[in-house]
Amino acid sequence: MARNYEIGSGSRCAFGNQSTWGTPASPSSLLPMRSESIVVSSTKSAEETLVASKTQNEASLESIRVNGGISMWLRPSIVDPLFTMALGKKSNGKYILAEPDDDVKFCTIAMERGSQLAKYSNVACSSLTISADAQKTVGIELQLLGWKEENLTSFPSLTAVTEKSFKCTNASCTIDGGSELPIETMSISINNNLIEGPVTYLTGMFIGESAYGQRAVTASFTLPFGAEYKNIASNLTTDSDIELHLEFDNGQGYGIEIDIPHLSINSANGNVGGSGLIDGSISGTALSVGTDEPIEITYTTPTTV
């Protein structure tokens, strides 16, 4: 007798970048998914009348939305399609934020939850967070704004990748080109602040094509409460900013470098939480200054290093 429930083990997620809104792509990259939270929600309204009733007497479907997130590890095979979609532009081999009036990059996602299959097209990246903590595998939290959920007849036939995930056992972080810092935890977030497309007669119950709002790039990290912390924290009460450079690899010749040329420190604290080590916590926001990009991500492979 077959069981009548599903388990998460063996579930798969794949995606492919679309050329334009409204043109679904064939998912071609298998994501190293840890968990997902993509959900369909709806708005139903009641037509209020003076007719007496014990409860609401009608629920009329008016709109449908798709959003949620995917948690995954960062592996070489997904770097290019993932960062191209999330940041919106690739220039001179570097991933940078798209221009404010550029079209949003969309993708199509195939999801296999046990034996249940679903497809989501016209999906945009609301935000992407990179977690790069000492002695840990590099993680990605991807928040998405979708269009609709559709049936999927079969999951794409994709080969599992053999490259190892990126990790922070040999990572490096510097400020203003100085000495390497004893970073404990690091989180870099890119928020596209998506603007939902206009709702018209043509969109039916769904949203229209989204647009970029003013992006926000932030970095938060911890390090021991000492001289390095105090030097960085001194920028909290000045107009000056710092230049942050982070790099890590996967031990197989693949590397990632992240540069934030102008990080304005907006939080710095180091409090005593007990008898153990005191950690210093720093966070800041990336600025657009002159022709410098707020953030640049460089990906190197064994053939480019």
Side-chain angles (χ1 to χ4, degrees), residues 216-231:
V217 177
T218 59
S220 300
F221 52 94
T222 62
L223 70 167
F225 188 70
E228 291 97 340
Y229 163 80
K230 293 179 181 178
N231 182 52

Side-chain angles (χ1 to χ4, degrees), residues 164-298:
K164 293 182 179 180
S165 298
F166 292 97
K167 55 186 178 180
C168 289
T169 54
N170 190 36
S172 171
C173 179
T174 61
I175 297 295
D176 296 331
S179 302
E180 294 185 23
L181 293 173
I183 297 296
E184 298 169 324
T185 65
M186 172 70 72
S187 175
I188 295 177
S189 297
I190 300 165
N191 190 335
N192 284 323
N193 285 318
L194 293 177
I195 301 170
E196 283 193 11
V199 175
T200 69
Y201 289 169
L202 301 179
T203 60
M205 295 185 182
F206 306 96
I207 62 171
E209 182 177 355
S210 303
Y212 290 122
Q214 184 177 71
R215 265 66 59 84
V217 177
T218 59
S220 300
F221 52 94
T222 62
L223 70 167
F225 188 70
E228 291 97 340
Y229 163 80
K230 293 179 181 178
N231 182 52
I232 301 170
S234 66
N235 293 279
L236 177 64
T237 54
T238 72
D239 288 333
S240 60
D241 53 58
I242 63 174
E243 178 183 355
L244 184 146
H245 175 81
L246 170 68
E247 55 184 78
F248 48 79
D249 59 48
N250 78 333
Q252 296 178 318
Y254 296 89
I256 294 287
E257 296 182 20
I258 302 176
D259 289 285
I260 301 178
H262 303 279
L263 185 70
S264 177
I265 303 303
N266 52 34
S267 175
N269 57 74
N271 299 113
V272 177
S275 61
L277 296 174
I278 301 177
D279 288 329
S281 177
I282 303 281
S283 64
T285 300
L287 306 177
S288 292
V289 178
T291 59
D292 292 337
E293 293 294 336
I295 184 171
E296 290 184 339
I297 300 179
T298 305

Side-chain angles (χ1 to χ4, degrees), residues 12-15 25-28 30 108-120 150-158:
R12 295 181 293 173
C13 178
F15 85 114
S26 298
S28 55
L30 193 63
T108 299
I109 291 177
M111 185 70 68
E112 181 183 55
R113 301 178 175 102
S115 63
Q116 306 299 313
L117 304 178
K119 181 178 77 172
Y120 307 90
E150 300 174 289
N151 292 328
L152 182 67
T153 56
S154 63
F155 194 83
S157 178
L158 299 172

